[in-house]
Amino acid sequence: MLFIWLCIIFVPCILIPVVVYLRPSPKKSVNGKHVVVIGGSSGIGKSVAIVAAKEGANVTIIARNVEKLNYAQKEIESYKCCKEQIISKISVDICDYESLEQNFSKIETIVGPIFMMVNCAGMAICGEVEKFTLDEIKQLVDINFLGSLYSVKAIVPKFKMRKEGIIVLTGSQVTLMGMYGYSVYSSCKFALRGLAESLYMEVKPYNISVTLALPPDTDTPGFANENKTKPTETKLISDTAGLATPENVAKKLVNDALTGKFFSYVGFESYMVTTLCTGMSPFSTFLDVIMEATVLGLLRIISAFYIISFNKIVKKCHENKTKKIM
Ligand SMILES: NC(=O)c1ccc[n+]([C@@H]2O[C@H](COP(=O)([O-])OP(=O)(O)OC[C@H]3O[C@@H](n4cnc5c(N)ncnc54)[C@H](OP(=O)(O)O)[C@@H]3O)[C@@H](O)[C@H]2O)c1
């Protein structure tokens, strides 16, 4: 008799939370909604804007260069699925907080309340830490970290008031792991993880989701610029992985954000790094946690071989440099 009562009390207590957390969230839609893409005039951001336009959203792209904005606006217009859709642009520097906040309010009165904000503005300069000028360090911190923080600070009150919203921040694979030549860029991107995880908990009660996108090397104008500054070591390590297309990264990013996933990644290496670094990060379903817990040990062993091969590349380059000096 006692056993039956225990079953009646405890089985639902265990089963209900498991079933609730196993269930994936239903996918939200951007059709007819307002999507703002900061950094939407080029690369991954422009592809995100195109995906949103194809799904019926009103899209606003934000960047600094007016010519690039005009060109991108025309391209995004061509992907609209109905003629009522509004594709607009604003020229703002994300590091100018007041201007960003004012422009968010202005664009809401013209296009409608913002439903999703994707921040893709960012840039990389590579090199060993001692070779950076102080201006370069400040530039990377401003664009990659402060810009993201400012965009969040400007949008959260609007989302909280409406009890609805989606925020996407763009990190990189070096948000979760360090790599030769990325000491400055990677530390800015690591900071985004702290921002995204804390924010996730702060805004969850308001029906606002946060996604941290972690693109691998992606074929964009930004990547071409980054390549100009890569030391040989960084180039050789990067070459061990493939190059994603901005279209694929954008499709995955939008899908993950609309299904409320915290991390958005593409490809095996990104899956491995993200799974290894999940730690105390938010999760979407309990099934994800079970999968991660099952493969963690094996992935750690595989990761050791990656680390060994990266360190071998660095050692070889160091030996070559030393030989040249002698
Ligand atoms: N491509 C890759 O391999 C890769 C890999 C991992 C992570 N990521 C990250 O993904 C994001 C997008 O990279 P991407 O390669 O697509 O870059 P991209 O082609 O250079 O595009 C960057 C966009 O951000 C805008 N932007 C830059 N600084 C800005 C500022 N201060 N204020 C407003 N807009 C600004 C640029 O326009 P304006 O210059 O006209 O302002 C442009 O629209 C970045 O955060 C990058 O760190 C890229």
Side-chain angles (χ1 to χ4, degrees), residues 38-45 62-65 68 92-95 120-123 143-144 170-172 185 189 215-218 220-223 226:
I38 309 173
S41 69
S42 168
I44 297 171
I62 297 180
R64 294 162 303 177
N65 185 302
K68 270 185 356 191
V92 182
D93 185 336
I94 198 181
C95 305
C120 286
M123 68 170 294
I143 294 179
N144 293 304
T170 310
S172 157
Y185 175 68
K189 293 291 191 185
D217 281 351
T218 309
T220 65
F223 181 70
E226 176 185 335

Side-chain angles (χ1 to χ4, degrees), residues 172-225:
S172 157
Q173 285 200 328
V174 295
T175 295
L176 301 179
M177 58 174 282
M179 197 189 285
Y180 191 104
Y182 282 117
S183 41
V184 180
Y185 175 68
S186 172
S187 44
C188 304
K189 293 291 191 185
F190 258 65
L192 291 188
R193 180 177 185 181
L195 168 62
E197 287 197 7
S198 304
L199 182 68
Y200 178 94
M201 224 183 257
E202 285 180 24
V203 298
K204 197 170 164 43
Y206 296 86
N207 187 32
I208 303 165
S209 66
V210 179
T211 295
L212 180 60
L214 307 167
D217 281 351
T218 309
D219 192 7
T220 65
F223 181 70
N225 267 336

Side-chain angles (χ1 to χ4, degrees), residues 151-161 167 199 203 208:
S151 67
V152 163
K153 181 173 159 49
I155 203 69
V156 162
K158 297 180 188 305
F159 282 177
K160 275 192 174 177
M161 199 178 63
I167 297 172
L199 182 68
V203 298
I208 303 165

Side-chain angles (χ1 to χ4, degrees), residues 46-87:
K46 188 171 75 179
S47 294
V48 168
I50 290 172
V51 173
K54 280 183 181 169
E55 296 202 7
N58 296 316
V59 180
T60 301
I61 52 170
I62 297 180
R64 294 162 303 177
N65 185 302
V66 179
E67 215 177 305
K68 270 185 356 191
L69 275 168
N70 289 338
Y71 190 76
Q73 184 189 26
K74 274 198 196 119
E75 190 182 344
I76 299 159
E77 288 263 1
S78 68
Y79 289 94
K80 284 191 332 187
C81 54
C82 70
K83 63 176 188 321
E84 288 76 31
Q85 269 175 268
I86 307 168
I87 310 295

